[in-house]
Amino acid sequence: MLELWYNANMDAETPLYYIYQDKQRIGWIKNVDKEGYIDANLIYKDYRNKGYGKEALIALKTIEKRALKLDVKVDNEQAIKCYLAVGFKPCEAWHQSKKDYIGMVWEN
């Protein structure tokens, strides 16, 4: 069973949520700011392509209960496919300085 563990000791360099599957840490989600912008998220290499990324994002959405936003590199096809599968829609990049990124938003 996948779980998100909230990190109460979060700082700018530490994930806000750790992703666990059967008590094994398999990734993290870093910094969901007050506007719902996800700074970064990662599923560790050995756990990719098993649906955990989708499951973690769905769990995050149930916790955060608001629109979520992120930027993704245009050539990261695996991540884009995952985001689209859970309901994110493409839009302009949130950080305009990131020319090789696209923005994505998942509304309530």
Side-chain angles (χ1 to χ4, degrees):
M1 180 175 136
L2 188 129
E3 298 176 285
L4 294 185
W5 292 8
Y6 177 75
N7 180 13
N9 298 318
M10 202 222 41
D11 60 32
E13 298 303 316
T14 308
L16 179 61
Y17 295 99
Y18 288 107
I19 304 166
Y20 282 83
Q21 175 66 24
D22 296 326
K23 305 211 188 293
Q24 174 69 39
R25 188 183 318 170
I26 64 167
W28 47 259
I29 298 170
K30 186 175 178 184
N31 301 347
V32 182
D33 72 12
K34 63 184 178 185
E35 283 87 34
Y37 181 81
I38 301 168
D39 185 43
N41 64 82
L42 174 77
I43 298 294
Y44 300 148
K45 188 175 182 177
D46 291 345
Y47 298 95
R48 292 180 188 160
N49 298 311
K50 298 179 181 180
Y52 296 134
K54 292 176 194 165
E55 198 174 339
L57 289 167
I58 291 167
L60 178 66
K61 184 74 164 171
T62 62
I63 293 168
E64 291 291 334
K65 295 183 173 123
R66 58 187 169 147
L68 298 174
K69 311 169 200 174
L70 53 83
D71 291 325
V72 60
K73 280 192 150 202
V74 296
D75 62 352
N76 191 344
E77 295 175 15
Q78 184 176 0
I80 292 169
K81 184 178 175 183
C82 174
Y83 299 139
L84 291 171
V86 298
F88 278 90
K89 304 286 184 219
C91 62
E92 269 188 57
W94 301 101
H95 298 286
Q96 294 303 310
S97 62
K98 295 182 174 182
K99 301 295 182 204
D100 55 343
Y101 285 74
I102 60 170
M104 300 196 89
V105 63
W106 189 7
E107 300 290 346
N108 288 338

